[in-house]
Amino acid sequence: MLSNIVAAFEQALTWIVHTFDGPLWDITTIVLLSVGIFFTITTGVVQLRLFPESLREMWFGRATDSNALTPFQAFATGLASRVGVGNIGGVATAIALGGPGAVFWMWMTALIGMSSAFAESTLAQLFKIRNADGSFRGGPAYYITKGLRAPWLAVAFAISLIFTFGFAFNAVQSNSIVEATHNAWKWTPEYVGFGLVLLTGLIIFGGVKRIGKVSARIVPLMALFYLIMTAIIMGMNFERIPDVISLIVHSAFNFDAMAGGMFGAIFSKAMLMGIKRGLFSNEAGMGSAPNAAASASVKHPASQGLIQMLGVFVDTIVVCSCTAFVILLSDTYNSGLSNISLTQAALKYHVGDYGVHFLAFILLLFAFSSIIGNYAYAESNIRFIKNKKWVLATCRVIVLFFVYFGAVQSGGIVWSFADTVMAVMALINLGAIVFLSPIVWTMLKDYTNQLKAGADEPVLDINVHPELVKRGVDPEIWR
């Protein structure tokens, strides 16, 4: 019975992907880059100018006396979804299909997108609401409803986010876990799928606060293990690193292999794959991380914007680059492999069979933390649409179905479905933050003015900005 349901669902997804994925990504690529450049210019290159401040905000803003997440827990929850399969399998797929130059465009997507990440997370903090237990929730659905006064568009965004993170991305994560563990230990996909369903259910039925606590413990540890391994490999091949950087940069501007679609004459495969996999990995401008940003207890909206901006940097410039160097320092990137298998082959080249087992274990942690981080985003938007226990329970069951579905399906259809729904979600959010950009500029100016005046910790005084209350900001949260 279950196998028949899975097979029928796969056929439906295949039709959706083949019909919509190409045109959507032609448009999304242009909009994503344009919005990132727009915010980079209008914020005075905030991603460079206030980068040291983002480090301070993340590390020292840890205390909270309520049920709200601390800034560090919100950062870790956002990072739990960012740091995962995209950093390992996504980078490998980008290189396999787009060549080494795809890495350069991943970097550009991150550096430009950091400003978009600042904008969306600042807005999420500003327009957040308080739950009955004292915690907070918010995100694009909330600032679209209040700031733009477009509840219909907010519902459309919330639905697209639930499909993207609650369903599609979690299927990608479980699919990657199955691939890695099968390569290393020959684990059976069905058994792995059932195990993931059980573990995921235990976490997501415990609530978002538990997700924040689990993420805050797991993410830094697993990232450290992975970075140590890649640092060792890069140290072993230190003299070849300049050649790899040169290969990445030169390949980035090789337009011999053009992408398909409406704008195939504009984008090379390297550019398109770099942007596509870069967005999947760091989520800058997609509208996902703001859901975690809104749950933090902070004194100024811009502070959480800076923290989430830092998450984009860590995800792509640090972690994705480590994976890219491991692959390009091996002889495997032209082997025809892709996704997790390519990264495992590269590690095997450097450190032997140990690398295959090591990556399977690390990926199990990366992908599982992403599953629970993804669910945290979905739950916030489920509550936005219909905050009823039975609705939440039903959606949790559907999430668990997709975790199993991803485990037993081929990687191609799972990744393609994720790309399609991701594009819809990103387009809605990018349009919203552009229309709300004057509010972003106001918050950034208020924050920087307080820093210039010598404030150790800028605090938003809502009484100084009565126009924000008229736009739907809850004044009681900021008093």
Side-chain angles (χ1 to χ4, degrees), residues 120-424:
E120 62 184 356
S121 293
T122 298
L123 289 169
Q125 261 293 320
L126 182 63
F127 286 97
K128 67 186 178 182
I129 65 173
R130 192 187 302 273
N131 295 316
D133 64 355
S135 63
F136 300 109
R137 73 176 187 270
Y142 296 83
Y143 57 68
I144 290 173
T145 298
K146 295 182 176 184
L148 293 182
R149 294 184 175 89
W152 62 271
L153 186 61
V155 171
F157 175 84
I159 293 172
S160 69
L161 185 143
I162 293 166
F163 270 82
T164 301
F165 281 85
F167 305 157
F169 281 11
N170 278 343
V172 168
Q173 306 297 336
S174 60
N175 181 270
S176 299
I177 289 174
V178 166
E179 182 178 349
T181 54
H182 180 75
N183 290 342
W185 308 313
K186 307 303 179 185
W187 285 3
T188 304
E190 289 78 9
Y191 293 157
V192 175
F194 280 121
L196 289 173
V197 166
L198 177 62
L199 292 174
T200 303
L202 291 174
I203 295 293
I204 68 176
F205 279 93
V208 175
K209 183 68 174 178
R210 181 179 296 178
I211 293 172
K213 289 181 177 179
V214 171
S215 300
R217 292 188 180 100
I218 293 178
V219 173
L221 182 63
M222 69 182 184
L224 179 63
F225 284 154
Y226 185 68
L227 292 174
I228 288 173
M229 170 61 76
T230 56
I232 291 172
I233 292 173
M234 291 171 68
M236 294 165 54
N237 299 273
F238 184 76
E239 71 282 355
R240 296 177 54 201
I241 290 178
D243 293 335
V244 171
I245 295 175
S246 177
L247 175 66
I248 291 171
V249 174
H250 283 88
S251 299
F253 299 96
N254 178 7
F255 286 83
D256 291 340
M258 304 307 296
M262 284 187 293
F263 302 105
I266 300 175
F267 304 122
S268 68
K269 284 186 177 180
M271 182 183 294
L272 186 63
M273 289 307 303
I275 293 171
K276 216 173 189 180
R277 297 279 68 83
L279 178 61
F280 177 89
S281 179
N282 63 53
E283 304 170 21
M286 190 193 298
S288 50
N291 294 273
S295 63
S297 176
V298 297
K299 295 183 179 180
H300 199 288
S303 67
Q304 190 60 212
L306 293 173
I307 290 172
Q308 295 301 328
M309 181 183 80
L310 180 64
V312 175
F313 179 88
V314 172
D315 171 89
T316 304
I317 306 301
V318 178
V319 184
C320 283
S321 296
C322 289
T323 301
F325 278 105
V326 167
I327 293 172
L328 295 175
L329 285 168
S330 73
D331 61 357
T332 59
Y333 77 90
N334 282 322
S335 62
L337 296 173
S338 65
N339 203 7
I340 304 303
S341 297
L342 175 55
T343 311
Q344 285 183 306
L347 282 174
K348 183 176 181 179
Y349 171 88
H350 291 294
V351 297
D353 289 335
Y354 167 76
V356 177
H357 300 291
F358 173 80
L359 187 63
F361 173 71
I362 288 296
L363 189 77
L364 190 61
L365 296 178
F366 269 122
F368 184 70
S369 69
S370 291
I371 288 174
I372 59 177
N374 291 345
Y375 173 75
Y377 294 159
E379 179 179 307
S380 177
N381 286 268
I382 293 167
R383 292 181 182 276
F384 171 81
I385 296 173
K386 193 74 172 179
N387 193 12
K388 297 290 185 180
K389 289 184 178 180
W390 70 268
V391 174
L392 191 59
T394 301
C395 288
R396 284 171 174 169
V397 171
I398 298 174
V399 168
L400 296 179
F401 167 79
F402 271 91
V403 169
Y404 181 80
F405 175 81
V408 299
Q409 288 300 303
S410 64
I413 185 61
V414 173
W415 278 88
S416 296
F417 174 54
D419 282 341
T420 302
V421 293
M422 175 174 67
V424 174

